[in-house]
């Protein structure tokens, strides 16, 4: 039987979800308030966000892998993935790397400040296909943000999944995001974690090397594992190639792609990739759906 993973709906059976944009212009953002900010590292902050209008807090639903279009007046709009799980209601989280005009402006905000959001958009991770499989998460840098949403979600439905391993690589030890969460979950025996850095410092006593090196210690049993890979394009490519060589079918390697977006809803063509739109056909794809790995 198909599981209804939308916990906010299952938590309130009989309650009809309110479509966010059924009665309004799809491009109009909703006002949302920053409740809390966690500084993950020098360039990355995680923002816990709630809607100004309580009706959206009650009825807003999303799934890991989906994204929002985030905006601020005079700074533009950009797609940002959910880094929280919808199975943990109250607020949602966006983990944002300072990259350009908008994200730099968002980094200046304080709790209580307002942002605009519209969404959720895009296809989520394929949870029905992932059920009853071991899950291998491979993340690079801020690529852990959408995967954290999936990990929290899978932990809340832990019995649905087999072994959960997380391999996480960053440039330096200071660059890790959510490391305390990951260590806590590993400490509770819920997942296994391995970390690596490109360049170590004195306090670092973990692995040094690329995240692909961590795969040397992982046994891949084709058919029973789904790999979720997220990070810079070149990292996705090398991890995917390594997993394919280990015998994992391309359909069992799942990733999320990033392209510059304008509308986020399949209208403008800005995020065109091969014969697809990243915003509506993705951003989650299996490697078997990609034309080639060189274009990542
Ligand atoms: C589905 C999806 C999910 C995402 N999730 C996250 C997330 O969770 N967290 C996060 O931090 N980021 C995320 N991103 C990336 C984020 O949307 C971009 O970094 C966004 O461009 C930031 O906006 P900005 O105005 O701050 O920076 P921009 O002004 O857009 O600049 C960002 C960088 O892109 C370059 N650039 C600008 N315009 C173009 C262009 N037209 N073509 C090529 N390069 C250009 C700039 O030179 C700069 O290096 C996601 C992207 C996608 C598609
Ligand atoms: S961003 Fe406009 S079609 Fe994808």
């Amino acid at each position: 039987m198909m599981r209804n993973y939308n916990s906010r709906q299952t938590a309130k059976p009989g309650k009809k979800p309110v479509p966010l944009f059924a009665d309004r212009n799809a491009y109009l953002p909703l006002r949302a308030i920053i409740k809390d900010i966690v500084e993950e590292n020098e360039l990355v902050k995680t923002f816990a966000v709630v809607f100004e209008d309580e009706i959206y807090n009650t009825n807003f639903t999303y799934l890991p892998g989906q994204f929002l279009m985030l905006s601020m007046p005079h700074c533009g709009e950009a797609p940002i993935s959910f880094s929280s799980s919808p199975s943990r209601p109250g607020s949602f989280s966006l983990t944002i790397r300072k990259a350009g005009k908008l994200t730099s402006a968002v980094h200046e905000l304080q709790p209580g400040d307002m942002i605009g959001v519209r969404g959720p958009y895009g296809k989520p991770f394929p949870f029905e296909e992932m059920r009853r499989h071991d899950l291998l998460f491979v993340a690079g840098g801020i690529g852990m943000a959408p995967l954290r949403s999936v990990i929290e979600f899978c932990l809340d439905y832990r019995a649905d999944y087999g072994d959960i391993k997380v391999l996480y690589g960053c440039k330096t030890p200071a660059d890790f995001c959510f490391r305390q969460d990951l260590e806590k979950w590993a400490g509770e025996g819920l997942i296994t974690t391995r970390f690596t850095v490109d360049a170590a410092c004195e306090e670092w006593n973990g692995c040094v090397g690329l995240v692909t090196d961590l795969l040397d210690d992982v046994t891949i049993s084709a058919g029973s594992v789904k790999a979720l890979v997220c990070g810079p394009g070149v990292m996705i490519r090398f991890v995917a190639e390594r997993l394919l060589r280990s015998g994992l079918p391309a359909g069992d390697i799942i990733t999320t792609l990033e392209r510059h977006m304008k509308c986020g809803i399949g209208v403008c063509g800005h995020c065109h990739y091969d014969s697809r739109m990243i915003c509506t056909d993705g951003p989650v794809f299996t490697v078997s759906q990609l034309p080639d790995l060189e274009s990542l």
Side-chain angles (χ1 to χ4, degrees), residues 67 78-81 95-97 99-103 142 257-261 283:
F67 64 93
I80 300 291
S81 308
T95 297
I96 300 178
R97 188 171 64 89
K101 191 172 176 186
L102 173 67
T103 48
I142 197 180
L257 299 187
E258 285 194 8
R259 286 291 183 277
H260 279 273
M261 290 185 182

